[in-house]
Amino acid sequence: MGAAVLIMGPPGSGKTTLIRTVVAALPGRPGGFLTDAIRDGDERVGFRVVTLSGDETLLAHVRGVRGPRVGRYQVDVAGFEAVGIAALERAVREADLIVVDEIGKMELTSPRFLPALEAALASPKPLFGSILGSPHPLLDPLKHRSSVELYRLSAKNRDDLADAMLARLATEIRASPGCC
């Protein structure tokens, strides 16, 4: 089982930016997905899932989506499964680093998400991503696993944390079977 390095931080703290920066500087082939905010002016109105191979789909929006409600957003479960979960499953098979941004309430609306995440965590490949920081009955046990390392992102530690994540994950990737 590979290490899971997960970032926690409030919305808008730069978790996805940190993940993008670190992944771009790492050796090997990353796979998985990122979650980007959709804005209308200054207002966040939704989220899209963008795979590391460039595919994208709507994850959730305040308008025009039918699906489970998380806060003020409705989640497009079918779109997330077709693009995000497919990318996660492909990463387990083909990538040197599995990226999951984010492990949160919206993603949990998919019945396929937790099994795909468990498969990723059980693989010998390192996993890098972000996770909901607040308590959650499905995610709290994951946060306490011995193979999971949690880091809290803040404005003060952003640059140092990026350097630490880069060093930590580069070591994991090089030690992973079939890498580079």
Side-chain angles (χ1 to χ4, degrees):
M1 181 165 39
V5 177
L6 300 174
I7 308 297
M8 298 185 302
S13 63
K15 297 180 300 287
T16 300
T17 301
L18 174 77
I19 292 169
R20 276 187 205 282
T21 300
V22 171
V23 168
L26 286 169
R29 297 165 307 190
F33 68 88
L34 300 165
T35 305
D36 285 334
I38 299 170
R39 298 201 172 274
D40 183 2
D42 290 339
E43 181 187 12
R44 188 174 60 202
V45 295
F47 298 90
R48 75 175 51 86
V49 168
V50 181
T51 70
L52 295 177
S53 60
D55 298 325
E56 66 178 67
T57 192
L58 187 65
L59 172 61
H61 206 277
V62 295
R63 296 181 298 276
V65 173
R66 291 181 176 235
R69 183 170 293 282
V70 175
R72 64 190 206 111
Y73 304 98
Q74 286 190 274
V75 181
D76 181 353
V77 174
F80 173 58
E81 290 180 344
V83 176
I85 293 181
L88 176 55
E89 293 168 340
R90 193 169 41 256
V92 171
R93 291 189 311 270
E94 300 171 5
D96 299 315
L97 173 68
I98 301 166
V99 177
V100 183
D101 173 44
E102 127 167 23
I103 303 168
K105 292 178 184 177
M106 289 182 193
E107 293 77 10
L108 288 171
T109 62
S110 163
R112 288 182 47 205
F113 180 66
L114 274 180
L117 179 62
E118 287 294 345
L121 290 166
S123 84
K125 300 172 182 182
L127 185 145
F128 183 40
S130 62
I131 190 166
L132 177 69
S134 60
H136 190 282
L138 295 175
L139 300 180
D140 291 348
L142 185 149
K143 293 176 190 176
H144 293 96
R145 291 183 185 184
S146 62
S147 62
V148 173
E149 300 172 21
L150 295 174
Y151 296 87
R152 189 164 299 278
L153 178 64
S154 69
K156 290 183 180 182
N157 74 356
R158 183 173 294 127
D159 294 335
D160 291 337
L161 193 56
D163 292 341
M165 297 295 94
L166 184 55
R168 176 73 181 93
L169 289 164
T171 301
E172 284 293 324
I173 291 169
R174 287 188 188 99
S176 138
C179 174
C180 320

